[in-house]
Amino acid sequence: MKRIGVLTSGGDAPGMNAAIRAVVRTGISKGMTVLGVRRGYNGLILDRTETPEIEADIVELSVRSVSDIIQRGGTLLYSARCQEFRYESGLQKAKATCERHGIEGLVVIGGDGSFRGAADLSARGIACVGIPGTIDNDIAMTDYTIGYDTAMNTAMELVDKLRDTAQSHDRCTVVEVMGRNAGYIALNTGVSCGATAILTRETGTSAEDVITRIKNTQTTGKHHFIVVMCEGVGNAAEVAKEIEKHTGVESRASVLGHVQRGGSPTVRDRVAASRLGHRAVELLSNGIGNRVVGFDRNELVDFDIQDALRMTKEFDFSLYNVGMDISF
Ligand code: F6P
């Protein structure tokens, strides 16, 4: 393969730039031309490359064009979720764009939804390799996704700050973190911040459970509390109100939101992104597509995309139990 593309798709995640850099540098070192596709699959569908007044969607990336990005959050290729790519018309447009630009292989950095698109495009003759990039860590085929560590550290730092003020006022702070449908960020943030309770879909923790835990902990002389909940399991403000009503502890809610998606990637994210990007291009250079790369206990692995999408991921209940056993 002599000409490949790279794009970032779905929610951005810290470390995506490090992955782009790895893809570009590995590709060039193997004698390939690497094209950056902007704004996810939209770049392949719109293809405004020939419209001088509009920023091109597809640009050649040189060794130097990815200098000074390994430490930056976000993605220099921009990201998007592309509805049209779910339909045959969108896939055909993307295939035609790839053919026009001579793109034989494509590295797709994103989440499950992006991998579905990569499988569909692979089935239409463009060899795609997926790299898991999402703060949610909700991709079953891999233990680890790019951005997860940075997001957890950001959440942890913010909850630490919230604890300072909760402690000063003898309050309970209910913190909502991201994760879409997955409670991994909530679990690790909760354990690392000594949360009295952690609410996720997987654990099914109810507001009543939280109140019971707080009441039990009050008997040990504790006056301030942190409760971490995953987005989508309820409303933080309502949980805070219930806690205040039933425990007498003044309570506040805080929704961390998109701040968790930004910032300079941690060591773990930069290294993971570099390894994944390098492996993805190795696969393409060997003519292998329709794969997704990831980690199994820190070892690189790759799977057929359809097989990867059928896998399921276990929630770490033992970590949850540790957290609950020691936070009172
Ligand atoms: O998948 C990453 C993520 O940040 C989720 O945690 C969250 O549910 C979602 O994206 C938010 O999406 P948007 O940026 O479209 O609001």
Side-chain angles (χ1 to χ4, degrees), residues 17 27 30 69 115 152 167 219 243 267 310-311:
N17 276 327
K30 289 182 179 299
I69 64 165
F115 293 165
M152 287 190 299
Q167 181 271 325
T219 64
I243 291 170
V267 171
R310 277 190 288 272
M311 294 177 182

Side-chain angles (χ1 to χ4, degrees), residues 163-172 223-224 249-250:
R163 179 186 280 283
D164 288 345
T165 161
Q167 181 271 325
S168 304
H169 288 268
D170 288 331
R171 282 179 178 160
C172 172
H223 305 290
H224 74 277
V249 180
E250 194 181 5

Side-chain angles (χ1 to χ4, degrees), residues 32-171:
M32 294 169 160
T33 298
V34 185
L35 303 174
V37 178
R38 290 184 170 135
R39 298 181 178 83
Y41 292 116
N42 283 327
L44 290 177
I45 289 178
L46 296 172
D47 190 19
R48 292 168 296 204
T49 308
E50 307 302 336
T51 323
E53 69 281 11
I54 300 175
E55 187 187 41
D57 288 309
I58 300 177
V59 280
E60 185 172 339
L61 298 172
S62 67
V63 167
R64 291 278 69 81
S65 66
V66 291
S67 286
D68 195 28
I69 64 165
I70 195 168
Q71 79 283 16
R72 292 200 195 156
T75 158
L76 99 160
L77 291 175
Y78 307 91
S79 193
R81 298 190 174 96
C82 177
Q83 291 307 321
E84 201 183 339
F85 207 67
R86 293 165 182 255
Y87 303 104
E88 190 58 38
S89 59
L91 288 162
Q92 287 304 331
K93 279 187 202 166
K95 175 176 156 68
T97 304
C98 288
E99 286 168 354
R100 205 161 44 249
H101 287 269
I103 296 174
E104 301 161 89
L106 186 67
V107 177
V108 174
I109 307 166
D112 267 353
S114 313
F115 293 165
R116 244 165 250 126
D120 290 343
L121 196 56
S122 292
R124 284 157 186 79
I126 310 297
C128 295
V129 176
I131 293 181
T134 164
I135 63 164
D136 303 331
N137 201 31
D138 59 350
I139 299 178
M141 59 73 57
T142 182
D143 291 341
Y144 191 76
T145 61
I146 296 169
Y148 179 47
D149 190 55
T150 308
M152 287 190 299
N153 277 288
T154 300
M156 182 190 73
E157 280 175 27
L158 294 171
V159 176
D160 285 348
K161 291 185 193 335
L162 289 168
R163 179 186 280 283
D164 288 345
T165 161
Q167 181 271 325
S168 304
H169 288 268
D170 288 331
R171 282 179 178 160

Side-chain angles (χ1 to χ4, degrees), residues 270-283:
R270 296 182 199 194
V271 172
S274 301
R275 292 176 71 192
L276 292 167
H278 185 263
R279 173 58 65 87
V281 176
E282 276 184 343
L283 290 173

